[in-house]
Amino acid sequence: MAGLIRTWRSRLPVGPRTPVVTLHEGNTPLVPAPRLARRAGLPEDAVWLKLEGLNPTGSFKDRGMTLAVSKAVEDGAKGVLCASTGNTAASAAAYAARAGLRCVVLLPEGQVALGKLAQAIAHGAEAVTVKGNFDDALRLAREGAGGRWALVNSVNPFRIEGQKTAAFEVADALGRAPDYHFLPVGNAGNITAYWKGYVEYRRGKPRMMGWQAAGAAPIVLGRPVPKPQTLATAIRIGNPASWKQALAARDESGGRIGAVTDAAIFAAYRFLAREEGVFCEPSSAASAAGLLAFAARGGFRKARKGLRVVLTLTGNGLKDPASAQALPAKARTCAADPAAFKRLLGAA
Ligand SMILES: *Cc1c(COP(=O)(O)O)cnc(C)c1O
C-alpha cells in the first residue's frame, strides 16, 4: 500500500474523513552493513542500516509530515509553520505544496545545508532567516502558531505518531525488534517516536542508543547548551523539545545517550560512503560513530549469535554537498586526449 497512513491506518490517529496527503513515504530499505559490523567487532550479519534518506524529500521527517499535514488540512489550517535546521523545512514545504497550504519556515542564520534550503525554496516555502540558532527559531515558531497556522515541528504529536512507523518496518524486516537501535539525537523527536513504535508493536524492545554531537550534547551534560556547535547541522540543537521523552526512552529500554565528536562523526560518514556504498548526511553518521564508540569501549561484551543492531541513517548525503566536498578526493584533470587519459590510468 502506498504511503504510511494507508499502510498503518489502524495504528494511527486518522479517521475516515482525514484527507491523506502523501508522497508515498516510508517502506524504506533495511540493508546489512557487514564492513561496519566487522569494524565494530561484531558478526557480519549483526548490523543493519535503515535508509531513511530514501524518503521522498530525503529524510525521515516525511514520516511525521504526511500525518501532521494531513491533520492540519483536516483541521482547516491555512498554512503550516516550522523552525528547522533544514530537513523539517524541506519536508513541510513539499507536503504543504501537495496539500495546497502556505508554508513558513524559520531557519537559523547560516546553519542550513545548501540542498535543504534549495528544497524549501523549490517547493515554494516562505523562508524566514532567524538571527539566532535553532532553539531561538523554535521559540518563534511556537509563539506564531495557533489560529489557522499549524505548527509542524516534532512538538506536534502527529509528527511522532507518523515517525513511529519506522520501528514497525524494522521489526517486520527482521522478524522481531533488534537488540539495539542506534540513532542521532537532535530535538529528540525521533528517539521518542521509535521507542513508542517498538512498545506499541510488541515484537520486542531494543536498547535505545541515542547520539548527540559533543558540541551540542545537552542531554549528555544534563543542561541546555546556549551556543551549540557542530558541523552536523541537523543535530545542532541546545535545548531539545522532547528531552524528557528521550530520557524515558533511554531509561525504560536500558539504553544510553552519549556524545561523539565531529571528528568521529565525519570519520563514520566517510566510512559509510566508502566501505558500505551508503551516502548519508553527517548528522546521520552520528549513529555509526556511536556504534563504533560503544563497541570500542566493550559495550557489547560478548556478541552472541543472532545479535541484531539497527542504525537509522536519518538523511540523504546529497542534501549537504559542502560536507562531501570537504572530504579528501581522488580527483584529477585530463586533456581531452585518449593518449593522455591512458597514461593517467596507467599511472593510477
Ligand atoms: C531531524 C534530524 C535529526 C534529528 O532528529 P530529532 O528527531 O530532532 O532528534 C537527525 N538527522 C537528520 C538528518 C535530521 O533531519
Side-chain angles (χ1 to χ4, degrees):
M1 245 182 297
L4 59 84
I5 294 180
R6 293 195 182 103
T7 305
W8 302 106
R9 176 173 281 280
S10 66
R11 295 177 179 274
L12 294 172
V14 290
R17 275 194 304 278
T18 311
V20 177
V21 181
T22 180
L23 288 162
H24 296 194
E25 60 294 312
N27 197 20
T28 55
L30 185 71
V31 303
R35 291 210 174 90
L36 181 61
R38 209 179 311 142
R39 173 68 69 101
L42 297 175
E44 285 202 351
D45 64 353
V47 177
W48 297 73
L49 308 174
K50 181 72 169 155
L51 301 187
E52 288 292 276
L54 297 182
N55 275 297
T57 77
S59 85
F60 75 84
K61 299 298 199 296
D62 294 340
R63 291 183 185 273
M65 211 54 76
T66 181
L67 198 60
V69 172
S70 295
K71 296 300 281 191
V73 174
E74 183 177 14
D75 295 343
K78 70 172 176 193
V80 297
L81 194 61
C82 65
S84 178
T85 60
N87 281 334
T88 299
S91 185
Y95 284 83
R98 193 95 181 154
L101 295 178
R102 280 177 67 190
C103 176
V104 172
V105 300
L106 295 152
L107 306 169
E109 189 171 34
Q111 297 172 20
V112 175
L114 182 62
K116 305 176 188 182
L117 196 58
Q119 288 179 286
I121 290 166
H123 292 303
E126 301 162 52
V128 179
T129 299
V130 176
K131 292 184 183 304
N133 60 28
F134 171 83
D135 305 285
D136 299 317
L138 182 57
R139 208 170 316 120
L140 293 186
R142 294 177 102 143
E143 296 284 332
R148 291 181 62 205
W149 284 100
L151 182 65
V152 295
N153 280 105
S154 58
V155 293
N156 177 330
F158 298 126
R159 281 276 311 276
I160 305 293
E161 288 295 315
Q163 286 171 211
K164 78 183 180 187
T165 59
F168 304 164
E169 292 176 15
V170 169
D172 279 355
L174 295 177
R176 64 167 171 95
D179 302 289
Y180 293 84
H181 193 121
F182 285 73
L183 77 174
V185 172
N187 220 17
N190 215 24
I191 191 171
T192 303
Y194 270 98
W195 180 238
K196 187 169 199 289
Y198 283 123
V199 169
E200 288 181 11
Y201 208 50
R202 298 166 166 271
R203 306 285 197 280
K205 294 177 195 169
R207 293 180 192 270
M208 298 303 300
M209 309 293 287
W211 298 89
Q212 302 197 294
I219 298 178
V220 179
L221 297 172
R223 55 178 162 75
V225 175
K227 290 201 164 57
Q229 291 299 340
T230 170
L231 292 171
T233 50
I235 53 173
R236 186 169 173 164
I237 290 172
N239 191 10
S242 298
W243 191 321
K244 281 204 194 81
Q245 296 89 324
L247 292 179
R250 179 194 70 185
D251 296 341
E252 289 167 21
S253 73
R256 59 165 299 188
I257 295 177
V260 279
T261 63
D262 274 18
I265 290 172
F266 276 81
Y269 167 70
R270 187 166 175 231
F271 184 91
L272 287 167
R274 295 177 63 135
E275 304 290 329
E276 296 290 6
V278 174
F279 188 29
C280 63
E281 56 176 290
S283 304
S284 307
S287 57
L291 169 73
L292 294 174
F294 183 69
R297 279 183 232 127
F300 290 106
R301 263 169 255 129
K302 53 179 190 304
R304 32 178 196 75
K305 210 163 154 276
L307 177 77
R308 287 292 176 270
V309 177
V310 169
L311 279 62
T312 300
L313 298 186
T314 44
N316 196 307
L318 292 170
K319 285 171 169 281
D320 189 357
S323 288
Q325 279 180 311
L327 294 174
K330 299 180 192 170
R332 282 172 293 175
T333 48
C334 180
D337 164 32
F341 181 56
K342 280 185 188 154
R343 271 198 306 280
L344 183 149
L345 276 183

